[in-house]
Amino acid sequence: MNIILLGPPGAGKGTQARHLVEKRGMVQLSTGDMLRDARTSGTEMGKIVADVMDRGELVTDEIVIGLIREKLETTSANGFIFDGFPRTLGQADALGELLAEEGQELGAAIAMEVDDEALVERITARSTCASCGEVYNDKTKPIPADGKCSNCGSTEFKRRADDNEESLKTRLMEYYKKTSPLIGYYYAKGKLSTVDGLADIAKVQASIAKIVDEA
Ligand code: ADP
Ligand code: ADP
Ligand code: ZN
């Protein structure tokens, strides 16, 4: 079963993807994580995308499709979770072709619905464990009082350079202009499901579990 988690920045895609990995052994393919890895390892591609990402704009289709192609060709999995990909209609068409080449199908595109005000609050309060990537939130999911990651025990946490209000404005505009048409795209393909992303994390997990079980 392959699924797409579709939603604006801060909708909870990463949080839910990690849960599916843990519970179902699916493989998370986050283009955002792949691009950040490319930046920290100092590759040519990482250097090219750094400024674009910090501004909150989308990197080119060519780059992200290349990253996904490589993963699909080299990874076998009990289902992929596409987290933050596709983000444009061109990427969506390319994903359809890549899956067909691999003899795979898309089970569902799950749109996580949240309102814009909640997104600003969530993003400006987000941090992650520097070691395992567990996602925290100053308000809704604080780092444990002993300062240790509940998942791996690390005491180092980080905040993303693009998690500020200025960059978020651009990211939201990019989402509405280029990514939100994918909701209609997957509806027309009969693949769209929606969940209330404003519900608490456990409720969203339950809604997604139901969709994955039924897809
Ligand atoms: P968020 O978790 O806030 O939705 P991501 O971690 O998915 O953000 O992405 C961070 C940044 O990486 C984006 O603002 C964009 O610059 C770039 N990026 C990630 N995925 C894609 C994609 N599929 N297409 C183009 N750019 C992407
Ligand atoms: P995305 O990958 O879509 O950008 P994240 O999973 O990183 O989103 O979540 C963004 C922020 O919102 C994080 O700080 C996370 O802890 C918090 N968060 C995620 N889901 C929920 C939820 N259902 N309710 C409240 N806060 C949430
Ligand atoms: Zn951790």
Side-chain angles (χ1 to χ4, degrees), residues 59-126:
V59 309
T60 63
D61 283 358
E62 198 188 356
I63 288 178
V64 289
I65 291 166
L67 288 169
I68 290 287
R69 174 191 296 279
E70 195 194 322
K71 291 283 180 193
L72 287 180
E73 286 174 354
T74 55
T75 317
S76 64
N78 179 28
F80 291 104
I81 308 154
F82 297 95
D83 162 11
F85 179 92
R87 266 176 151 98
T88 65
L89 291 166
Q91 292 176 24
D93 281 340
L95 177 60
E97 286 164 23
L98 286 172
L99 286 173
E101 279 168 29
E102 297 295 317
Q104 302 250 13
E105 273 193 45
L106 179 68
I110 304 175
M112 304 179 66
E113 297 181 323
V114 275
D115 62 48
D116 296 346
E117 258 169 73
L119 296 178
V120 180
E121 279 197 18
R122 282 189 187 182
I123 292 263
T124 50
R126 168 162 68 182

Side-chain angles (χ1 to χ4, degrees), residues 10 15 118 121-123 125-126 135-143 198-201:
T15 299
E121 279 197 18
R122 282 189 187 182
I123 292 263
R126 168 162 68 182
V135 187
Y136 290 95
N137 187 285
D138 300 340
K139 289 180 188 136
T140 58
K141 193 184 160 187
I143 293 161
L198 285 174
D200 64 37
I201 291 174

Side-chain angles (χ1 to χ4, degrees), residues 30-43 45-50 52-53 57-60 63-65 67 84 87 91:
S30 158
T31 40
D33 286 347
M34 292 175 207
L35 292 165
R36 278 184 290 277
D37 285 348
R39 286 180 68 164
T40 35
S41 52
T43 64
M45 191 255 285
K47 287 179 202 152
I48 294 169
V49 299
V52 177
M53 289 177 76
E57 292 165 15
L58 294 186
V59 309
T60 63
I63 288 178
V64 289
I65 291 166
L67 288 169
R87 266 176 151 98
Q91 292 176 24

